[in-house]
Amino acid sequence: MAETATAEPTGPSRSAIDATLRAILSDVLALDAERVEGFDGDTGLFGHLPELDSMAVATLLTEMEDRLHIIIEDDDVDGEMLETYGGLLAFAEAKTIEG
């Protein structure tokens, strides 16, 4: 019997989290999907994308909670996690594993 995504003990796969995170960035920041697909681990986010201002950060985090089924505490949020796409992806992966 094939395993479903919900049966995985560590949660969604890295590629599923990556795809969801890219969709969130595209939707929340109104960025072209092709542009977001080009993001790599070193792509700068906060301070590099004019679309990602302090108001957009709140919306981004809320969408991450909703779509990735995670809870982000105020203490979790720091400049490092928002500095690069890789940092944000690592944060999202850690939170989904944490449950």
Side-chain angles (χ1 to χ4, degrees):
M1 182 174 208
E3 285 189 41
T4 62
T6 56
E8 295 177 37
T10 58
S13 69
R14 180 169 204 207
S15 62
I17 295 167
D18 181 51
T20 301
L21 189 57
R22 288 177 191 276
I24 292 168
L25 285 167
S26 180
D27 294 347
V28 169
L29 303 180
L31 297 174
D32 183 66
E34 289 179 12
R35 180 177 176 197
V36 177
E37 282 302 314
F39 286 4
D40 64 22
D42 295 325
T43 300
L45 296 179
F46 194 72
H48 300 274
L49 294 176
E51 299 88 351
L52 187 58
D53 59 16
S54 56
M55 291 298 289
V57 168
T59 305
L60 174 68
L61 298 177
T62 301
E63 282 296 310
M64 287 175 66
E65 287 182 322
D66 290 348
R67 296 193 204 182
L68 295 171
H69 310 289
I70 60 176
I71 295 174
I72 301 173
E73 303 293 340
D74 290 342
D75 298 1
D76 296 335
V77 181
D78 62 28
E80 190 174 308
M81 69 167 274
L82 291 166
E83 188 175 346
T84 63
Y85 180 74
L88 189 61
L89 179 58
F91 172 80
E93 289 173 337
K95 291 305 273 186
T96 56
I97 290 169
E98 188 178 290

